[in-house]
Amino acid sequence: IKPANIFMVGRTQPRVLDFGIARVAHQHESDGSDDVAGGSPYYMAPEQARHENVDRRGDVFSLGVVLYELLTGERPFRGATLVEISQAVLEHTPKPAHEVDPAVPEALSAIAARAMEKDPEHRYRSARMLSRELRHWIEENAQAAESAAAEPAAQAQRKRGALIAAVGTAVAIVTASVI
């Protein structure tokens, strides 16, 4: 899952396209000794980069990367070559989203960080669990955004509203990937 595979139908209905690689990765059982990892290196889970078996938590990692990009406007893993990008995915721990952009709430930053954990055992078990966590955050924060919109500090409220819209988009993307 990567941004290029997310197609928007209107402004509120994302569709995830190109499940071919994910389907093969989930069904492929091997010792990982001689196969080639498929996928975009920026969004590839560490276990996939190591040619290990991949399960649905690999998709959670990819969704976490997309969420991080939505929140910060930056890629969490960088490099000039495939090897450098893969090494960053394997070894680099990105700055928390709220440190890259102070407007990102720490709780939302923590959700993105958990989705991008190097160890799959520490990630959300599925995209559905990630979606539930994001929906819970939206429910808790939507009322705060509505009441803040009535106050005069317009720029901060617009940024918070945009943040909630970005998380809403992320929830829709996660939900589309589950279906």
Side-chain angles (χ1 to χ4, degrees):
I1 297 172
K2 60 184 178 180
N5 291 351
I6 300 167
F7 177 75
M8 293 298 293
V9 178
R11 293 181 56 102
T12 60
Q13 298 177 3
R15 298 288 184 254
V16 178
L17 308 174
D18 190 12
F19 278 102
I21 292 171
R23 217 177 280 125
V24 169
H26 288 283
Q27 294 174 357
H28 186 68
E29 293 187 4
S30 78
D31 61 6
S33 61
D34 58 36
D35 60 326
V36 176
S40 179
Y42 293 107
Y43 305 93
M44 191 179 300
E47 59 273 21
Q48 189 175 1
R50 289 189 299 265
H51 306 278
E52 298 173 354
N53 288 331
V54 179
D55 62 17
R56 59 188 172 187
R57 293 170 298 182
D59 289 338
V60 169
F61 184 90
S62 300
L63 289 165
V65 173
V66 172
L67 176 60
Y68 187 95
E69 288 183 14
L70 281 169
L71 296 174
T72 66
E74 296 182 10
R75 285 186 167 150
F77 307 107
R78 299 184 188 153
T81 67
L82 179 60
V83 171
E84 288 177 4
I85 297 164
S86 296
Q87 188 173 19
V89 168
L90 290 168
E91 299 173 4
H92 173 70
T93 300
K95 259 183 159 176
H98 71 276
E99 289 181 16
V100 174
D101 182 347
V104 175
E106 286 188 39
L108 193 52
S109 180
I111 292 170
R114 181 174 174 198
M116 293 189 303
E117 281 284 345
K118 302 288 185 207
D119 183 346
E121 294 296 323
H122 295 141
R123 285 183 217 140
Y124 296 97
R125 291 183 310 221
S126 66
R128 183 167 280 125
M129 295 299 292
L130 173 58
S131 177
R132 278 190 205 145
E133 194 72 22
L134 289 169
R135 286 178 194 275
H136 178 72
W137 185 88
I138 288 174
E139 288 168 3
E140 285 185 345
N141 290 278
Q143 289 178 335
E146 287 172 12
S147 64
E151 297 173 12
Q155 189 175 16
Q157 280 83 21
R158 279 194 298 273
K159 188 152 188 170
R160 184 131 178 115
L163 183 63
I164 289 177
V167 174
T169 300
V171 168
I173 291 166
V174 171
T175 302
S177 73
V178 171
I179 297 173

